[in-house]
Amino acid sequence: MPRPRKKGWRREVEKVPRRSASLEEFDRRACPEGLVTRRQLRERGLSPGGHALVAVLRCKYCAYRPDQSCNHPTRAWLYDVNLARPKRTPTLAQEWALDRAMAARSTCPECRRRYYFCLPLRTQGCCDP
């Protein structure tokens, strides 16, 4: 006999007026030129460089509520391009260590065969016969 389903826990949404929000908020396609998201920084080969957030990019659902601040998980944080730094490149020793770690995950301990994918943990790291 199936168990009855529990109702999901709903998070209480706190409605914050937009004028009292701590960071400036911009709607989609209305963002100024010098502000970009983390994904856009990564595409340009940059990182935030330890600098704080500058603004919030509102989600598409909050466009219908211009008087409230966006607190959905789909919002994006905006960073200043002028304060961003180039991404750090790993040293040869770090690349060698990462290659060894990936080799250990993709090598069967019994037959010593290396695969091009990581072996699943449910088979204790061994390849299937």
Side-chain angles (χ1 to χ4, degrees):
M1 183 168 172
R3 293 186 301 174
R5 288 186 134 191
K6 292 183 181 179
K7 289 190 177 183
W9 179 76
R10 291 187 57 135
R11 170 173 81 97
E12 290 294 326
V13 178
E14 182 180 335
K15 295 182 179 179
V16 178
R18 190 169 182 181
R19 64 185 172 275
S20 67
S22 59
L23 291 173
E24 194 173 357
E25 294 186 358
F26 296 102
D27 288 326
R28 302 222 177 240
R29 294 185 177 83
C31 183
E33 277 299 314
L35 302 180
V36 293
T37 61
R38 281 191 73 109
R39 184 172 289 183
Q40 292 168 336
L41 280 176
R42 186 174 47 222
E43 289 173 357
R44 297 178 186 189
L46 300 172
S47 68
H51 294 287
L53 303 169
V54 177
V56 175
L57 185 64
R58 293 164 53 92
C59 65
K60 66 179 181 178
Y61 301 111
C62 289
Y64 302 110
R65 302 180 303 148
D67 58 333
Q68 292 180 9
S69 175
C70 178
N71 56 2
H72 290 105
T74 55
R75 68 179 179 247
W77 308 114
L78 295 174
Y79 297 91
D80 193 358
V81 175
N82 300 327
L83 300 176
R85 293 182 176 173
K87 280 180 140 183
R88 296 186 311 168
T89 56
T91 63
L92 290 176
Q94 289 173 334
E95 288 183 3
W96 187 62
L98 287 172
D99 186 44
R100 285 192 309 163
M102 289 306 294
R105 291 181 65 191
S106 60
T107 304
C108 177
E110 293 176 2
C111 64
R112 307 302 297 165
R113 180 178 172 195
R114 186 170 177 182
Y115 294 90
Y116 63 92
F117 56 88
C118 294
L119 295 174
L121 293 176
R122 66 170 185 223
T123 58
Q124 289 80 28
C126 300
C127 58
D128 291 332

